[in-house]
Amino acid sequence: MCQTFNFYCSNFSEVLAELRIIDRRAQGWRAAFYYLDNGEKLKDCSAKLQWAMEGFQVTSNVDSCLKELERHEELRKGQERLQKEVEKLHGGQEIMKESQMTLLKGQTNIEESIKAVRDGLSAIKEESNSQGTFSDPSTVMPPEPKLFGRTEYIEMAVQLLFSITGAKIAILGPGGMGKTSVALKIIYDALVVDRFGDNRCWIPCEQATSVPLLLDLIAKSLNLPTSSSNDRLADIVNFLKISKLLYILLFDNFETPWDIEGQQSNVAEVLATIASIPSVSFIITMRGNQRPASNAIDWTEPRLPSLTQLDLDAAEEAFVRISPNAIGDRELKPLLQKLDCMPLAITLMAKLSEAGETVADLLQQWKSERTRLLDQPGGDRRNSIEVSIKLSLKSRAVKRNPDALRLLSVLAMLPAGAAITRLPDICPSIPGWKAALRALRGAALVYDSADKSRIQMLSPIQSYILLYHPLGQEPLMELRASYFKLAPEGKTDAEHPEFKHIAKELSMEESGMEAILINALHDSNGDMEEAISISLSYSKYLFHQHPRTEIITEAVHVAKETNSPMLAHCLKWYAAILAAQHREEESESVFVEARDEFRKLGIEREVADCNGLIGGILSTRGQYDEARDLLQKAVDTLLALGDIEGAAWRRRDIGTAFFFEQDYQSACSIYQQARSEFDSVGNRLGSLRCLRPLGEALRLQGDYDAALSALEEAWLGSVELGDLTGVAYSLLSLGTTLKHMGNYSMSIAKLEESFAIFTQMGDASMIKVCTRRIEDVRRLLAAG
């Protein structure tokens, strides 16, 4: 504020200096002529005094200003002496009357100007005493925010501002990421306050819907007076240059003026002109990922990265600060993950919690209501997720590219985003997808994964697009066709030669695949049999990689509703996945249901196979005789039908019944017989699945070398096939065998590999087994 006052005092002093010169030169009889010749200069001085008075009306350092005025009181006394001299000449100098009148008018103007300044300053002082400020309310700096996370980001920005004079910093990112809060936290940092003092100015650019309004906001933030000047930018620049003090300007929400139609070059000129002043640093916050006027402004290096979502711990801190009753709530982290830890979404959800909603209820409501849950009637970008997203959709880049919104609707169908290399196949009807993607990146509606291989979207944005901009039928069919090709029927069994390649592609697209399948299974206008078929094929892949029931459960439900002939097959694989999850009781019930459906269809082979699978479950309960009886009947039936492969799988289960009964010698014999049957039909997967339990049985008989050889072959073969389940179990058995052989370090290495794969598969039961065995080996290793 003092700098603004000094600026006007400087101009006021210049005018008074000119008047002193006039006073010295206009002595005695020369006075009349001198004032006659300099009448225009007196008028100019009067105008300048008037301009200075306007400036003083917005200056808060009133006492200093009054003292400055008193130092120039001698001017008035000088003018009184001049008047006396003129009066002496009056009697004999009638010819000079007209000049004297000009002089008197000039004096009167000066005295009136001085009086007006004095009166104005007195009024200002009274207003200052009652209100304490002269700042325009629209540009008063908001209070310092409470922030969680972002520590390194803020420290980096502060260091740039503290060490570099005239730093130019951009804080970019999607709407709702807390860009304004981060910028204010930087502005309030102690180092920034020390460096810039009171010369820290906030410019709320969301009000700047035109270039003149932008300039007016800048002037207000600097406390410049209203001016009739035709060049407001020049006024701002002159003020900043003359002050010669360090300033920092915060242009908040700069996307508003930047996206004014047809005015981008003018806005760029304003920013670049201010950027050219060495003593001025500035920060802009802006939606999107592109810095404005990059061809005209040298943005300070290193450039700050775009803001992304908070980490989970910071998100939890932010939530419980608003809603302390959520502290320790087990549902809180799942809720925050559903929100993708987006700051604005966290704040709004926490306020609902504070108002009495339980976290569990909010999580359930989010699943059904999505962004509507966080929308407030009449809200703005600060308190409505939907308003914030709408603003991003209205950005210049998105509006100018009609394909951008179409591509966004496609990507919204895929919770984990899409591989960039697959976009041409995913949306063939959008040939301009590359330009559309650039537009979406520029508006920060999508972002690249850490390895730059995938394009992704924040959960609140995805939910909004699904709700208000759903994908049309034609692009939806294209998207389905692209994903259905990833799980071709008959090729997702681990023994198929193409399984490893298919598994690799599917492993990167599981989230998208499951979203597309759920959508297809619920689409009454779609090909339901195709959707059930692909769901079954995909579930076979899951059985071998990491058994999950979500898709097969939905497929069974739809198959029952539509009386699909594929119901029995869906039930059988549903039961198999339940068994792989160690849910034997449920598995048995579903196998019985599947067997009954196959019996209705007259498929004797499948009926026998289901009986054998039920026998396998009985063996896990210790019902060994009953289990072997059912299994042997299944083997006999399958061999009679010529199904050697099916008989080999059930024979393997007979070996497992002997294994559980601790008859390891009989188990070894049966496993070897089953393996020979698999080899005879070229089923390598079945052969390897016999080899691992064979190795276990050999170990339990004390034949460690033979066990190690069998298990290593099972492990390497499973790796080659891409059978993740086989790899995990083989490593577990290898680690256990190595422990018994005294090779503790190698044992721990194998067990830890197994632990990692079971963790990836989400198999909690086997994770516990691995953990116990690792702890056992570590104790042995420590004991030496």
Side-chain angles (χ1 to χ4, degrees):
M1 187 71 73
C2 291
Q3 288 74 27
T4 309
F5 169 80
N6 291 337
F7 174 72
Y8 292 110
C9 274
S10 174
N11 284 274
F12 186 62
S13 298
E14 290 175 9
V15 176
L16 293 176
E18 286 187 38
L19 290 172
R20 284 196 195 96
I21 293 170
I22 294 172
D23 182 40
R24 285 196 301 269
R25 293 180 179 175
Q27 296 297 322
W29 63 270
R30 293 190 299 271
F33 294 103
Y34 193 88
Y35 279 105
L36 182 63
D37 291 339
N38 290 275
E40 287 301 314
K41 183 173 289 187
L42 283 170
K43 291 179 182 178
D44 183 61
C45 288
S46 178
K48 286 181 179 178
L49 284 169
Q50 180 64 32
W51 180 84
M53 181 189 73
E54 292 174 1
F56 286 131
Q57 287 175 346
V58 294
T59 304
S60 62
N61 198 335
V62 176
D63 291 330
S64 296
C65 182
L66 287 170
K67 288 177 181 178
E68 180 71 14
L69 186 63
E70 287 169 2
R71 285 197 296 270
H72 297 288
E73 183 68 12
E74 63 184 271
L75 171 66
R76 192 184 63 79
K77 294 177 180 179
Q79 300 307 316
E80 289 176 354
R81 290 196 301 272
L82 289 173
Q83 186 171 357
K84 289 178 182 179
E85 289 293 329
V86 170
E87 286 173 353
K88 290 178 183 178
L89 295 170
H90 186 269
Q93 298 175 342
E94 291 294 335
I95 194 171
M96 296 182 183
K97 280 185 180 180
E98 187 176 344
S99 298
Q100 185 181 17
M101 291 301 297
T102 301
L103 168 63
L104 291 172
K105 287 179 182 179
Q107 289 177 254
T108 302
N109 286 338
I110 292 170
E111 291 178 353
E112 287 177 353
S113 295
I114 293 172
K115 184 177 184 299
V117 171
R118 184 184 293 277
D119 292 343
L121 288 171
S122 297
I124 291 171
K125 186 169 184 177
E126 290 177 10
E127 185 178 355
S128 175
N129 290 334
S130 62
Q131 296 183 5
T133 181
F134 303 105
S135 300
D136 189 292
S138 65
T139 57
V140 173
M141 186 87 72
E144 181 179 0
K146 181 67 176 176
L147 215 58
F148 299 94
R150 315 290 198 203
T151 303
E152 291 181 4
Y153 193 98
I154 292 168
E155 287 176 354
M156 180 180 175
V158 168
Q159 185 59 36
L160 291 174
L161 291 168
F162 189 74
S163 60
I164 299 173
T165 300
K168 282 78 181 174
I169 295 174
I171 299 175
L172 307 174
M177 273 304 147
K179 297 182 292 295
T180 297
S181 295
V182 169
L184 288 170
K185 197 71 176 176
I186 293 167
I187 285 290
Y188 277 103
D189 186 271
L191 288 176
V192 175
V193 173
D194 286 347
R195 184 165 173 79
F196 296 96
D198 291 335
N199 301 330
R200 295 167 296 127
C201 305
W202 179 63
I203 303 160
C205 295
E206 64 187 71
Q207 303 173 31
T209 53
S210 68
V211 176
L213 282 175
L214 173 63
L215 292 170
D216 190 46
L217 283 167
I218 298 170
K220 286 179 179 179
S221 74
L222 294 169
N223 292 315
L224 296 185
T226 303
S227 172
S228 58
S229 168
N230 292 326
D231 194 344
R232 196 62 165 147
L233 178 58
D235 292 342
I236 293 166
V237 171
N238 288 338
F239 169 73
L240 290 170
K241 285 183 175 179
I242 290 171
S243 72
K244 296 180 180 179
L245 296 169
L246 294 179
Y247 271 83
I248 181 166
L249 312 181
L250 168 51
F251 293 93
D252 193 22
N253 294 307
F254 194 72
E255 70 275 358
T256 299
W258 187 248
D259 283 342
I260 299 171
E261 195 65 37
Q263 293 296 311
Q264 197 170 88
S265 60
N266 294 330
V267 175
E269 182 185 359
V270 170
L271 197 61
T273 301
I274 292 173
S276 69
I277 304 171
S279 59
V280 176
S281 297
F282 63 69
I283 301 172
I284 69 155
T285 70
M286 185 170 175
R287 287 167 184 259
N289 292 317
Q290 297 175 341
R291 289 166 177 77
S294 289
N295 59 336
I297 295 174
D298 291 328
W299 294 95
T300 300
E301 301 287 350
R303 300 183 180 189
L304 297 180
S306 294
L307 280 181
T308 57
Q309 55 265 57
L310 296 172
D311 63 60
L312 194 55
D313 289 339
E316 190 170 5
E317 272 192 274
F319 192 101
V320 299
R321 179 180 177 270
I322 296 171
S323 180
N325 55 307
I327 294 173
D329 195 310
R330 287 183 297 179
E331 299 289 349
L332 181 55
K333 284 187 177 177
L335 175 62
L336 296 172
Q337 288 168 332
K338 287 290 184 184
L339 299 175
D340 261 345
C341 295
M342 184 182 189
L344 177 57
I346 292 167
T347 299
L348 298 178
M349 195 70 85
K351 288 179 179 177
L352 292 176
S353 172
E354 184 187 29
E357 298 275 5
T358 69
V359 175
D361 285 344
L362 289 173
L363 183 58
Q364 193 59 40
Q365 289 178 60
W366 174 257
K367 291 176 182 177
S368 58
E369 297 182 47
R370 298 290 179 171
T371 53
R372 284 179 294 199
L373 178 62
L374 303 180
D375 188 35
Q376 296 186 13
D380 60 20
R381 70 177 82 199
R382 296 180 187 86
N383 55 27
S384 169
I385 283 286
E386 296 201 346
V387 170
S388 180
I389 296 169
K390 283 177 189 176
L391 286 171
S392 295
L393 290 173
K394 290 178 181 179
S395 68
R396 174 198 298 266
V398 175
K399 286 194 297 183
R400 287 188 170 184
N401 191 316
D403 288 336
L405 188 54
R406 292 176 61 203
L407 179 59
L408 197 62
S409 296
V410 171
L411 294 172
M413 294 290 295
L414 310 171
I420 296 173
T421 54
R422 296 198 70 242
L423 287 179
D425 189 57
I426 287 172
C427 47
S429 62
I430 307 179
W433 66 267
K434 288 184 178 179
L437 183 56
R438 283 195 297 272
L440 295 176
R441 279 175 173 147
L445 287 162
V446 298
Y447 63 94
D448 290 275
S449 61
D451 63 2
K452 307 295 182 185
S453 66
R454 301 181 70 80
I455 198 74
Q456 297 175 299
M457 187 185 309
L458 291 170
S459 175
I461 297 175
Q462 179 204 16
S463 298
Y464 178 87
I465 298 300
L466 287 173
L467 192 61
Y468 295 107
H469 300 280
L471 195 59
Q473 192 66 17
E474 181 185 351
L476 178 59
M477 293 300 104
E478 293 174 348
L479 185 61
R480 276 186 198 162
S482 172
Y483 273 84
F484 283 4
K485 286 189 297 186
L486 294 177
E489 189 176 357
K491 294 185 179 181
T492 52
D493 292 311
E495 63 266 25
H496 194 281
E498 294 183 36
F499 177 77
K500 188 174 183 179
H501 170 72
I502 289 170
K504 183 179 179 181
E505 285 202 22
L506 274 173
S507 67
M508 296 184 289
E509 297 295 342
E510 287 181 8
S511 177
M513 185 72 176
E514 292 174 19
I516 296 301
L517 285 172
I518 293 295
N519 177 270
L521 289 168
H522 290 174
D523 185 359
S524 57
N525 297 319
D527 186 339
M528 204 58 67
E529 285 303 306
E530 181 186 29
I532 294 170
S533 174
I534 298 299
S535 296
L536 178 59
S537 183
Y538 177 69
S539 295
K540 291 178 183 179
Y541 152 80
L542 289 177
F543 172 79
H544 295 296
Q545 297 301 96
H546 32 80
R548 291 202 305 271
T549 60
E550 291 84 0
I551 296 300
I552 195 66
T553 303
E554 199 65 37
V556 166
H557 175 71
V558 173
K560 286 180 177 180
E561 281 191 338
T562 60
N563 296 314
S564 170
M566 300 189 72
L567 172 61
H569 292 280
C570 290
L571 286 166
K572 180 183 176 182
W573 280 95
Y574 179 29
I577 292 174
L578 288 171
Q581 292 179 333
H582 316 290
R583 296 159 65 183
E584 286 81 8
E585 189 173 340
E586 294 173 76
S587 176
E588 181 184 2
S589 174
V590 178
F591 271 134
V592 169
E593 190 179 355
R595 180 191 63 188
D596 293 344
E597 288 295 325
F598 281 124
R599 188 172 281 141
K600 290 177 188 177
L601 297 171
I603 306 176
E604 191 177 350
R605 177 199 171 280
E606 293 289 358
V607 172
D609 200 39
C610 284
N611 277 327
L613 290 163
I614 293 168
I617 291 174
L618 293 177
S619 70
T620 65
R621 297 182 188 161
Q623 298 171 253
Y624 304 121
D625 292 337
E626 188 179 348
R628 280 193 292 268
D629 183 55
L630 271 175
L631 285 163
Q632 190 59 56
K633 287 179 180 178
V635 169
D636 294 342
T637 301
L638 291 166
L639 286 174
L641 292 169
D643 185 0
I644 297 173
E645 183 179 324
W649 280 112
R650 301 295 71 84
R651 193 182 302 282
R652 174 186 177 275
D653 291 342
I654 293 173
T656 301
F658 280 114
F659 185 95
F660 287 154
E661 202 174 7
Q662 299 183 10
D663 184 350
Y664 302 124
Q665 189 172 357
S666 296
C668 285
S669 176
I670 299 295
Y671 284 140
Q672 286 170 339
Q673 187 180 354
R675 189 182 180 207
S676 295
E677 288 173 327
F678 279 124
D679 288 341
S680 71
V681 294
N683 187 328
R684 192 171 179 217
L685 174 69
S687 179
L688 292 169
R689 288 289 179 93
C690 290
L691 196 55
R692 188 199 67 80
L694 175 61
E696 281 279 278
L698 289 168
R699 174 182 65 80
L700 290 165
Q701 295 178 80
D703 192 349
Y704 297 131
D705 289 334
L708 191 64
S709 176
L711 292 169
E712 283 182 339
E713 185 180 346
W715 167 48
L716 294 171
S718 298
V719 170
E720 188 177 340
L721 283 181
D723 176 18
L724 199 62
T725 301
V727 173
Y729 278 98
S730 296
L731 284 166
L732 177 63
S733 297
L734 269 172
T736 306
T737 302
L738 287 164
K739 180 192 82 169
H740 287 285
M741 296 175 74
N743 191 342
Y744 300 141
S745 58
M746 186 62 73
S747 171
I748 287 178
K750 297 300 181 187
L751 291 171
E752 286 179 341
E753 283 187 67
S754 178
F755 175 86
I757 297 173
F758 281 123
T759 301
Q760 178 185 340
M761 294 168 64
D763 191 330
S765 175
M766 295 311 298
I767 290 170
K768 290 179 182 177
V769 171
C770 287
T771 302
R772 284 197 302 269
R773 295 193 186 181
I774 290 169
E775 289 172 352
D776 288 344
V777 179
R778 283 179 175 158
R779 278 195 293 269
L780 291 168
L781 192 61

